[in-house]
């Protein structure tokens, strides 16, 4: 019976340990005044994507972020694959038509029979067209900082989707700045004035140092840094067809959901395979235990 108990305890450990371990990697400290983080459905052992959130987030990406951020590793056809925003297992023809129609809005270069470069509408097999032709153009258009590519951004940043959500919703509101673009801090953490450098935007979640522009006790300088991206989201920035109220927080959570899917589109396969393997191992352990009992039944040991 000892073996049996060990097997069960082992299984329970593996089952319970995984979500805790995953969560530990990503969670940011909740500071005073922080709103709670969304409850991501893709975290944990049974992780899967909320299809509606992925669809809405895709809309936010296309209508807002795609003006600056590329997704070079994505092809248009990926949008119709399981978990993707256009995926519809009941109607593959519709999925295909939607992907084709979406791709055809973009133009890509092609070399024709005479060796000339011509443009044609994109096809599902083409990679996402980038908003800028190269990184120099991207940074020149954005005050010297190129907007990072979004193909694997959720995997590439500590904190993953939590970080994206916090960054997008973390900018101070416009009314918090005085007429000289300064923020006045007067709370338990810090007392002082922070000047926002021209062309940069203060965000408590962006890695950096606020010390240089802080008038106050240096030990209590505000957390975070300045980035070249102005605040992007506000209530009603996007209109949702499914009736979900498009608050700033909702838009941020949806776009983070979409970016999480883009960074790991095969997550659902992985979690369901993982579960099948666990069940298989459990029955294998039972089988081994009972065969052991059977074989040693009449043997003194
Ligand atoms: C007007 C152009 C523009 C738009 C639109 C835009 N961004 Fe950005 N974004 C930038 C630039 C520029 C940077 C680089 C900032 C820096 O490094 O100082 C950036 C950086 C980021 C970063 C990375 C921060 C890091 O850790 O390096 C994230 C995440 C991000 N943007 C998310 C978004 C999302 C999500 C949207 C759509 C809702 C969006 N951005 C729309 C210009 C833009």
């Amino acid at each position: 019976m000892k073996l049996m108990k060990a097997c069960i305890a082992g299984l329970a450990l593996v089952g319970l340990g995984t979500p805790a371990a995953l969560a530990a990697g990503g969670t940011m400290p909740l500071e005073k005044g922080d709103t709670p983080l969304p409850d991501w459905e893709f975290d944990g052992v049974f992780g899967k994507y909320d299809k509606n959130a992925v669809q809405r987030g895709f809309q936010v990406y296309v209508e807002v972020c795609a003006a600056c951020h590329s997704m070079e590793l994505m092809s248009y056809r990926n949008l119709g694959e399981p978990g993707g925003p256009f995926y519809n297992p009941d109607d593959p023809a519709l999925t295909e038509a939607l992907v084709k129609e979406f791709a055809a809005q973009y133009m890509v270069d092609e070399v024709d029979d005479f060796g000339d470069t011509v443009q044609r509408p994109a096809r599902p097999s083409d990679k996402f067209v980038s908003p800028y032709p190269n990184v120099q153009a991207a940074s020149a258009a954005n005050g010297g900082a190129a907007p990072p590519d979004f193909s694997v951004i959720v995997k590439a940043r500590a904190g993953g989707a939590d970080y994206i959500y916090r960054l997008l919703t973390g900018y101070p509101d416009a009314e918090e700045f005085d007429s000289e673009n300064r923020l006045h801090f007067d709370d338990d953490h810090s007392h002082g004035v922070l000047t926002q450098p021209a062309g940069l935007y203060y965000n408590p979640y962006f890695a950096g140092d606020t010390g240089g522009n802080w008038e106050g006790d240096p030990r209590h300088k505000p957390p975070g840094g300045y980035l070249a991206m102005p605040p992007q989201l506000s209530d009603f920035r996007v209109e949702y067809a499914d009736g979900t109220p498009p608050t700033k927080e909702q838009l941020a959570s949806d776009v983070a959901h979409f970016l999480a899917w883009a960074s790991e589109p095969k997550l659902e396969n992985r979690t369901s395979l993982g579960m099948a393997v666990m069940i298989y191992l459990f029955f294998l352990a039972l089988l081994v235990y009972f065969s052991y009992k059977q074989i040693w039944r009449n043997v003194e040991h």
Side-chain angles (χ1 to χ4, degrees):
M1 221 44 215
K2 258 197 197 143
L3 177 71
M4 187 76 171
K5 274 190 192 144
C7 285
I8 293 173
L11 273 178
L13 266 184
V14 175
L16 296 174
T18 324
L22 283 180
T27 324
M28 305 221 165
L30 272 177
E31 296 196 1
K32 189 170 164 268
D34 274 347
T35 46
L37 285 162
D39 213 353
W40 307 115
E41 278 187 42
F42 47 81
D43 266 351
V45 264
F46 298 111
K48 62 182 176 58
Y49 296 110
D50 172 346
K51 176 141 198 259
N52 297 326
V54 171
Q55 276 175 346
R56 290 190 302 265
F58 172 60
Q59 188 187 345
V60 177
Y61 170 71
V62 172
E63 292 183 16
V64 185
C65 326
C68 300
H69 292 273
S70 57
M71 288 190 96
E72 288 176 354
L73 301 181
M74 283 270 272
S75 297
Y76 294 106
R77 67 181 164 74
N78 297 136
L79 299 168
E81 288 172 354
F86 292 146
Y87 179 60
N88 182 350
D90 304 329
D91 196 346
L94 177 68
T95 302
E96 206 184 314
L98 288 173
V99 171
K100 266 197 181 143
E101 191 187 317
F102 181 77
Q105 299 171 41
Y106 299 87
M107 297 299 279
V108 294
D109 285 346
E110 192 178 55
V111 177
D112 69 7
D113 295 344
F114 306 100
D116 296 324
T117 304
V118 290
Q119 291 225 302
R120 61 157 172 84
R123 292 194 276 262
S125 55
D126 287 314
K127 293 265 189 258
F128 268 38
V129 173
S130 298
Y132 299 106
N134 49 54
V135 70
Q136 288 85 342
S139 50
N142 287 282
D149 184 78
F150 271 177
S151 312
V152 291
I153 191 86
V154 167
K155 291 266 155 219
R157 291 289 184 278
D162 288 348
Y163 170 66
I164 311 277
Y165 178 82
R166 282 279 188 244
L167 186 79
L168 291 171
T169 55
Y171 291 94
D173 289 335
E175 0 4 311
E176 291 178 44
F177 292 93
D178 68 11
S179 56
E180 283 156 51
N181 212 11
R182 298 184 311 174
L183 282 167
H184 296 259
F185 286 79
D186 193 15
D187 55 31
D188 299 349
H189 297 302
S190 39
H191 302 270
V193 181
L194 188 72
T195 312
Q196 186 163 258
L200 291 177
Y201 303 86
Y202 170 65
N203 192 302
Y205 297 98
F206 191 66
D209 183 14
T210 53
N213 300 291
W214 172 240
E215 289 159 49
D217 185 342
R219 285 170 305 173
H220 295 295
K221 64 179 182 192
Y226 309 98
L227 75 167
M229 174 170 77
Q232 294 300 323
L233 299 179
S234 50
D235 295 349
F236 299 102
R237 178 79 170 77
V238 165
E239 217 170 282
Y240 284 147
D242 68 1
T244 306
T247 59
K248 180 167 78 178
E249 288 73 21
Q250 184 70 44
L251 301 180
S253 149
D254 289 340
V255 78
H257 215 109
F258 167 69
L259 294 174
W261 167 75
S263 287
E264 203 184 352
K266 301 275 186 274
L267 169 114
E268 293 183 18
N269 294 359
R270 194 165 56 77
T271 49
S272 58
L273 180 71
M275 221 38 227
V277 169
M278 293 311 296
I279 293 168
Y280 170 78
L281 285 180
F282 177 72
F283 284 107
L284 187 71
L286 275 186
L287 190 70
V288 170
Y289 175 72
F290 286 117
S291 6
Y292 154 84
K293 279 286 188 200
Q294 180 72 13
I295 292 166
W296 291 85
R297 195 174 28 148
N298 298 322
V299 183
E300 204 61 50
H301 67 289

